[in-house]
């Protein structure tokens, strides 16, 4: 499974730290240059972002960094579709993959249905209703936050692109996205 690592050009230290950690775990990745929300011009901002829709969903607008982060994740989804990838792991440069990360990706790859819209959150997450944590493997959830590491199928990536462009919610608003883009949301237990 291809791993995309989202990283701002100015964050070389973060890239070095996560690169070392991934190398120790035997995980190859492709760096995806993050969108710097503070550097977006007015035209690009208007074209890619709907403050009114975001206020409706969230109650208030996105900060420039939040918009840049969301546009970065959407850019990875476009790349997945262009490269015709069945699924991919998407990571931010502050992720801290543990031992077993590579093996977990292999298990997920065999368990997900590449023809269905599915997302698996890999990190410890906030969920509204916590499933029993003593159970290991994939657990279906209805909500979750944080986007530092997850696996997404191409149909889910396409559904999020259709639903969240122009941007109306952050990339880690999984409950909203799964309900509106209509994909199955899982978490991996224990998280890796």
């Amino acid at each position: 499974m291809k791993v995309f690592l989202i990283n701002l050009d100015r964050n070389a230290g973060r890239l070095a730290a996560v690169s070392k950690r991934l190398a120790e775990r035997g995980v190859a990745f492709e760096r995806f240059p993050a969108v710097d929300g503070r550097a977006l011009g007015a035209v690009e901002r208007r074209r890619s972002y709907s403050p009114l829709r975001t206020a409706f969903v969230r109650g208030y607008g996105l900060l420039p960094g939040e918009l840049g982060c969301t546009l970065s994740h959407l850019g990875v989804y476009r790349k997945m579709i262009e490269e015709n990838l069945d699924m991919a792991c998407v990571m931010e440069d502050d992720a801290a993959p543990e031992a077993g990360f590579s093996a977990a990706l292999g298990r997920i790859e065999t368990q997900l249905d590449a023809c269905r819209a599915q997302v698996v959150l890999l990190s410890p997450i906030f969920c509204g209703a916590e499933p029993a944590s003593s159970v290991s493997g994939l657990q279906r959830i209805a909500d979750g936050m944080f986007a530092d590491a997850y696996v997404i199928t191409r149909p889910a990536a396409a559904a999020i692109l259709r639903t969240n462009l122009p941007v109306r919610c952050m990339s880690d608003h999984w409950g909203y996205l799964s309900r509106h883009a209509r994909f199955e949301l899982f978490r991996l237990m224990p998280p890796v």
Side-chain angles (χ1 to χ4, degrees):
M1 172 185 321
K2 190 163 191 175
V3 176
F4 290 100
L5 179 70
I6 298 172
N7 169 258
L8 277 168
D9 290 339
R10 69 173 176 268
N11 287 342
R14 282 178 142 186
L15 178 60
V18 75
S19 295
K20 181 177 185 250
R21 194 165 182 125
L22 287 169
E24 290 168 351
R25 279 134 184 76
V27 178
F29 68 89
E30 178 179 323
R31 179 185 174 271
F32 186 87
V35 175
D36 186 346
R38 295 181 294 181
L40 286 176
V43 172
E44 177 62 22
R45 190 173 174 83
R46 276 194 305 276
R47 188 172 63 79
S48 61
Y49 173 54
S50 174
L52 182 60
R53 288 180 178 175
T54 302
F56 178 74
V57 170
R58 190 176 184 202
Y60 51 93
L62 296 179
L63 297 171
E66 294 170 326
L67 177 58
C69 180
T70 300
L71 291 173
S72 299
H73 285 263
L74 294 171
V76 170
Y77 305 159
R78 277 192 216 97
K79 189 163 178 67
M80 278 181 66
I81 292 166
E82 289 168 8
E83 293 184 8
N84 201 30
L85 300 175
D86 287 338
M87 64 186 71
C89 175
V90 181
M91 298 178 67
E92 294 178 350
D93 62 6
D94 59 350
E98 298 174 1
F101 185 81
S102 181
L105 291 182
R107 286 192 311 275
I108 290 168
E109 194 166 19
T110 65
Q111 293 176 356
L112 287 187
D113 181 347
C115 297
R116 296 177 65 174
Q118 298 177 323
V119 174
V120 179
L121 307 181
L122 303 176
S123 58
I125 58 171
F126 165 77
C127 296
E130 291 287 324
S133 60
S134 61
V135 178
S136 64
L138 297 183
Q139 297 177 349
R140 183 88 185 253
I141 57 175
D143 202 0
M145 295 297 286
F146 307 127
D148 56 344
Y150 58 95
V151 173
I152 185 168
T153 63
R154 186 174 56 243
I160 293 172
L161 282 168
R162 284 191 305 273
T163 302
N164 205 25
L165 266 178
V167 172
R168 61 185 73 186
C169 75
M170 289 177 49
S171 56
D172 64 355
H173 197 322
W174 295 110
Y176 175 87
L177 289 170
S178 67
R179 285 188 301 278
H180 289 84
R182 296 194 174 104
F183 60 82
E184 296 172 282
L185 183 61
F186 301 92
R187 73 173 180 173
L188 180 66
M189 288 302 294
V192 292

